[in-house]
Amino acid sequence: MRKSYLIILFLVALLLTTAYAQGQLIFGYSAPGLGDEGQLNIQKGFEIGCKENGVKSITTNAQLDPEKQLRDIETLIARGVKAICAVPVDSKTIGRAAEEAMKAGIPFFTIDRGVLEGRTVLTVMADNYDAAAQAAQHLVGFLKGKYNGLAKGKVLEIMGNPAQDVAQLRHQGFIDVISKYSGIKVISKAGYWDADKAYKITLDVLTSNPDIDAVYFHADMYIPGIVEAIKAVKGVFKKVGEDGHIFILGIDGNPMALDYIRKGYIDGDMVQPLREYGKFLVPYIKAYLEKGEEALPKPGIIEKKGSHYFPAVVEETPHGRVVKLKTYYVDMNSVNDPTLWGNIPLKKEK
Amino acid sequence: MEKEFSNLYEAKDDHLYRRRKIVLLIDWFIWIVIGIFILLGSMFVPGFGSIANFRNVLLHSSILGILTIGETLTLLTGNFDLSIGSVLAFVGVVGALIAKVGVPSIITIIIMIFLGAGMGFLNGLLIRKVKLNAFIATLITMLGWRRAAMGIVEGRTIWNLPKDLCFLGSGDIGGFPVQIIIMLGLFVFFHIVLTQTKFGRHIYISGDNQQAAYNAGIDVDKVVILVFVLSGTLSAFSGLLMVGRLDAASPTFGSDSLFEAMSAGIIGGVSLQGGVGNLLMALGGVILLSVISNMLNLYGVSPYWATTVRAILLLIAVLLDLLKRRLTRYE
């Protein structure tokens, strides 16, 4: 007798949780790989955005495999999520996943990286080209300061994986600015997002080119390698402001980079709105599910007072609508800004 | 008639002599290739021939070299260890976390080394006691340890570590980097172990013919497990050097070190079938790969070609190994 009561109780509980789960919105998130600080923060940003809006999120991890990402997204479709947001491993192959999701009536979004094949409802990313161009402008300023107003010198660029569009944009934006100054020579090497490769590149290039004035890096993970290699070649490390200092700046804005700026090891960093993507996107997904197309941001400019990541630019592209958030430069003067995501521990994020 | 016979004998001796000469050449193949590369490099790659740059080549070699010693030992027993890069990352991350809490560096180092030894012991147990294939066993630990390292720090980098912890990876004694001294010292030590001790002979016999080793009263289980313990310890040591060299620890460290260490061993003439090869040649493999990566950093060649060059070298090394086996089979 008692047993049957228990079974009935269990069934009722099951029914209730299922009903609750059906009542609550569930969004799927397909991460390209969760092994680095950047992707971790992008994923957490999406999670926080979902929580703030009363949405449940399910995360899958493609482990840098485009084919696995496709299967992950198929799983999310089968799971019956109401919307899917992905960070593409490969901006082309993701097109098929987008197509399958749309066919199943599930709107498809991407953040951090765009798509080059197929269509998304909305993509939110940073302007990598612009970030690189801004970094280049700051660097030109440093070199002019060093050489009494003359823009000249030798720069080592440590790239990401040159096959990925992020690395291509961070290279092109930089080169397009620098190439206006014929006195500046750039040596570009691919570091494949590997800290030890950055160490070896800096070691070798600095040994054969002792007159290197500056290092520009594509990702914060390279910083320890660059700093330690300079120590190994020069014997001592000249900090920012000291005579003989090699200018170091790049892109990301991780807590580690902010600490290196604070200690005077590196000059500055272009901060990407990693946690902002998800927080910005989730309300739009929710509104899109209710009102459709008209809920999306219109092409033009979005202003938001008090945020470093705006004004953002909205564009209509053949692959869907794209919002490009702004990146901005942080140096010794602004590194202690409490609104920088690198200064807010993940645990303290609401 | 008599004359013909004597000719034949002479010819046979001459043949043998020639064969031995070719084998000797194959044995030293790797150092000959290094010589050619250094010659070409000094002629055509600006900045390659300087003393400072040779120091850089050795710096490139240090961590790879230590990993290659461990990998060579396992290859000699007829096994291999896929987990070396993951052990490096896991031990590095755990060591850095311990150091950050304020534990004295010497204790941190001891914990790291024992952790690596324990991880190697687990590999050995899985292979010899649970009887898993070495590929499966170390594939499991390879995936497991790296994911665990990522899970612990959630992909974050740990930085700003105690100075004395970093000494082994970035310090120098009289201007000579400690990491190079350690690497060369370990090569000499393990070369002596392999060539002069009973344990070294047991490694070769176990890898060459397990049944024969067993019949000769060698405890193959013990030899193989011990070799995996050594491989784990050396990987942990590489992790310690990597953490010191970069003054940071990340779960992504050593991601392609497995492929590099294995290539270095095989290019150096260590056979995948066990029992053939030595550390002097494996060191040659390490130096050659480092010379290539150094040249690519100095010269404007697309980095994609580095892997292709490595593939070609691997093919040549494996073909030479085959040829050597044929030449020595009937002696």
Side-chain angles (χ1 to χ4, degrees):
Chain A
M1 193 63 186
R2 258 177 72 192
K3 218 181 216 169
S4 56
Y5 273 131
L6 272 177
I7 292 173
I8 290 169
L9 205 69
F10 175 72
L11 284 176
V12 170
L14 196 72
L15 214 66
L16 278 175
T17 41
T18 327
Y20 175 72
Q22 272 173 353
Q24 193 185 20
L25 276 176
I26 304 177
F27 293 169
Y29 181 81
S30 168
L34 287 170
D36 65 279
E37 192 142 18
Q39 286 307 323
L40 170 83
N41 277 291
I42 294 170
Q43 188 260 332
K44 290 288 178 199
F46 187 80
E47 218 172 74
I48 294 162
C50 284
K51 251 182 222 156
E52 279 174 356
N53 288 281
V55 179
K56 199 176 164 227
S57 63
I58 302 173
T59 301
T60 60
N61 180 357
Q63 294 167 9
L64 305 180
D65 179 353
E67 205 271 329
K68 181 172 185 312
Q69 186 161 43
L70 192 60
R71 279 182 283 131
D72 284 347
I73 290 169
E74 280 166 358
T75 312
L76 289 172
I77 294 171
R79 176 73 177 72
V81 297
K82 294 287 179 250
I84 293 174
C85 173
V87 180
V89 177
D90 185 306
S91 299
K92 280 198 172 144
T93 50
I94 195 76
R96 250 192 69 200
E99 199 182 306
E100 276 185 37
M102 300 289 206
K103 231 188 269 166
I106 300 169
F108 192 85
F109 303 82
T110 64
I111 51 179
D112 187 39
R113 302 172 195 164
V115 300
L116 296 171
E117 235 14 81
R119 255 185 97 81
T120 65
V121 175
L122 189 65
T123 291
V124 180
M125 59 196 286
D127 195 335
N128 277 300
Y129 180 89
D130 180 59
Q134 282 190 59
Q137 263 142 12
H138 284 282
L139 189 58
V140 170
F142 292 153
L143 292 173
K144 278 182 176 168
K146 182 175 177 181
Y147 293 112
N148 303 321
L150 281 175
K152 63 169 193 175
K154 211 184 245 183
V155 182
L156 166 63
E157 178 194 22
I158 305 181
M159 297 166 60
N161 179 348
Q164 290 172 353
D165 68 333
V166 177
Q168 286 162 7
L169 291 168
R170 288 179 184 186
H171 171 71
Q172 209 50 52
F174 185 77
I175 292 298
D176 284 353
V177 170
I178 294 288
S179 58
K180 288 179 199 149
Y181 304 91
S182 57
I184 303 176
K185 193 184 164 229
V186 180
I187 302 172
S188 300
K189 298 284 168 189
Y192 292 92
W193 315 119
D194 180 333
D196 197 43
K197 284 210 172 75
Y199 172 84
K200 289 173 180 171
I201 289 171
T202 313
L203 198 67
D204 292 343
V205 175
L206 205 56
T207 304
S208 57
N209 300 275
D211 54 341
I212 290 273
D213 296 289
V215 182
Y216 161 65
F217 56 83
H218 281 202
D220 281 355
M221 64 175 74
Y222 292 157
I223 298 171
I226 296 167
V227 170
E228 293 305 315
I230 292 175
K231 272 187 207 165
V233 175
K234 302 275 180 190
V236 282
F237 186 89
K238 301 282 191 188
K239 289 190 178 182
V240 177
E242 288 178 354
D243 201 25
H245 169 69
I246 294 176
F247 303 117
I248 306 172
L249 82 173
I251 304 178
D252 265 354
N254 290 351
M256 178 174 71
L258 301 186
D259 195 46
Y260 272 85
I261 294 175
R262 226 169 263 136
K263 293 195 172 120
Y265 284 111
I266 69 170
D267 297 83
D269 209 13
M270 294 300 306
V271 175
Q272 287 212 96
L274 299 187
R275 284 188 208 157
E276 199 65 24
Y277 299 137
K279 288 196 225 169
F280 177 83
L281 177 64
V282 173
Y284 281 110
I285 301 180
K286 234 182 138 182
Y288 178 81
L289 287 175
E290 286 162 12
K291 297 179 203 143
E293 201 76 24
E294 61 174 298
L296 297 178
K298 308 276 172 296
I301 305 278
I302 304 177
E303 293 278 1
K304 191 173 164 189
K305 287 253 157 62
S307 172
H308 297 291
Y309 310 120
F310 295 86
V313 180
V314 187
E315 288 168 357
E316 189 67 43
T317 74
H319 304 292
R321 207 162 287 177
V322 178
V323 179
K324 282 184 178 164
L325 299 178
K326 227 179 88 189
T327 52
Y328 69 104
Y329 185 71
V330 168
D331 61 10
M332 191 84 95
N333 299 317
S334 48
V335 72
N336 289 323
D337 180 348
T339 63
L340 283 171
W341 67 264
N343 283 333
I344 308 171
L346 264 174
K347 283 175 199 138
K348 286 194 186 153
E349 281 271 7
K350 9 167 213 183
Chain B
M1 190 71 177
E2 217 180 271
K3 193 169 179 263
E4 267 179 47
F5 262 115
S6 78
N7 269 350
L8 192 68
Y9 275 116
E10 256 178 49
K12 200 182 170 197
D13 270 349
D14 193 36
H15 192 61
L16 193 69
Y17 175 71
R18 264 216 320 266
R19 233 161 45 177
R20 290 214 169 127
K21 219 162 62 175
I22 295 171
V23 170
L24 196 72
L25 215 62
I26 293 174
D27 274 343
W28 287 92
F29 157 78
I30 186 71
W31 289 101
I32 298 167
V33 176
I34 291 174
I36 296 170
F37 264 82
I38 290 181
L39 198 72
L40 290 176
S42 309
M43 276 156 59
F44 299 113
V45 181
F48 180 81
S50 72
I51 299 217
N53 191 56
F54 280 114
R55 174 174 165 267
N56 288 354
V57 169
L58 288 175
L59 282 173
H60 281 238
S61 305
S62 64
I63 289 169
L64 176 62
I66 296 170
L67 287 171
T68 304
I69 297 174
E71 195 61 56
T72 301
L73 293 179
T74 54
L75 283 172
L76 285 177
T77 63
N79 292 288
F80 42 77
D81 188 351
L82 301 179
S83 70
I84 51 172
S86 300
V87 172
L88 181 159
F90 185 85
V91 170
V93 163
V94 171
L97 282 175
I98 295 173
K100 277 296 225 189
V101 185
V103 174
S105 293
I106 183 75
I107 295 173
T108 308
I109 292 173
I110 292 169
I111 293 173
M112 288 169 84
I113 300 297
F114 273 94
L115 191 60
M119 291 158 95
F121 185 61
L122 179 68
N123 279 337
L125 283 188
L126 287 176
I127 292 163
R128 294 308 300 190
K129 297 297 180 188
V130 187
K131 304 285 179 200
L132 290 186
N133 175 295
F135 181 82
I136 297 296
T138 57
L139 181 72
I140 292 169
T141 49
M142 173 182 99
L143 295 173
W145 293 126
R146 179 150 332 257
R147 296 290 149 196
M150 286 183 175
I152 292 172
V153 290
E154 291 196 303
R156 271 185 290 265
T157 304
I158 307 159
W159 74 97
N160 195 17
L161 302 168
K163 280 248 159 10
D164 35 0
L165 185 70
C166 298
F167 176 73
L168 294 177
S170 60
D172 60 87
I173 297 172
F176 211 73
V178 179
Q179 43 177 323
I180 297 176
I181 300 172
I182 291 175
M183 187 263 290
L184 293 175
L186 285 171
F187 262 101
V188 170
F189 175 76
F190 279 100
H191 185 70
I192 292 171
V193 168
L194 276 180
T195 52
Q196 310 292 330
T197 69
K198 208 165 79 182
F199 175 60
R201 278 196 300 282
H202 287 179
I203 290 178
Y204 277 105
I205 299 168
S206 305
D208 191 37
N209 187 338
Q210 223 183 87
Q211 192 56 44
Y214 185 76
N215 291 345
I218 296 170
D219 187 345
V220 179
D221 282 358
K222 208 169 108 185
V223 172
V224 173
I225 291 174
L226 198 55
V227 160
F228 273 95
V229 169
L230 287 173
S231 173
T233 310
L234 290 164
S235 307
F237 214 77
S238 314
L240 177 62
L241 291 198
M242 179 87 88
V243 165
R245 173 195 268 188
L246 298 177
D247 186 14
S250 152
T252 60
F253 279 5
S255 297
D256 36 302
S257 55
L258 162 69
F259 183 65
E260 288 198 12
M262 241 183 184
S263 314
I266 295 167
I267 290 171
V270 181
S271 171
L272 266 172
Q273 292 158 39
V276 174
N278 73 59
L279 277 181
L280 210 61
M281 304 306 149
L283 175 65
V286 171
I287 303 263
L288 182 60
L289 290 186
S290 301
V291 164
I292 294 173
S293 97
N294 171 263
M295 272 184 183
L296 287 169
N297 283 345
L298 295 178
Y299 207 68
V301 183
S302 153
Y304 293 112
W305 290 102
T307 319
T308 312
V309 171
R310 202 150 67 185
I312 293 168
L313 284 168
L314 269 173
L315 181 67
I316 295 173
V318 175
L319 290 178
L320 284 176
D321 181 48
L322 218 66
L323 178 66
K324 193 169 90 179
R325 276 171 189 272
R326 278 209 191 140
L327 288 171
T328 50
R329 188 175 298 160
Y330 301 110
E331 269 188 30

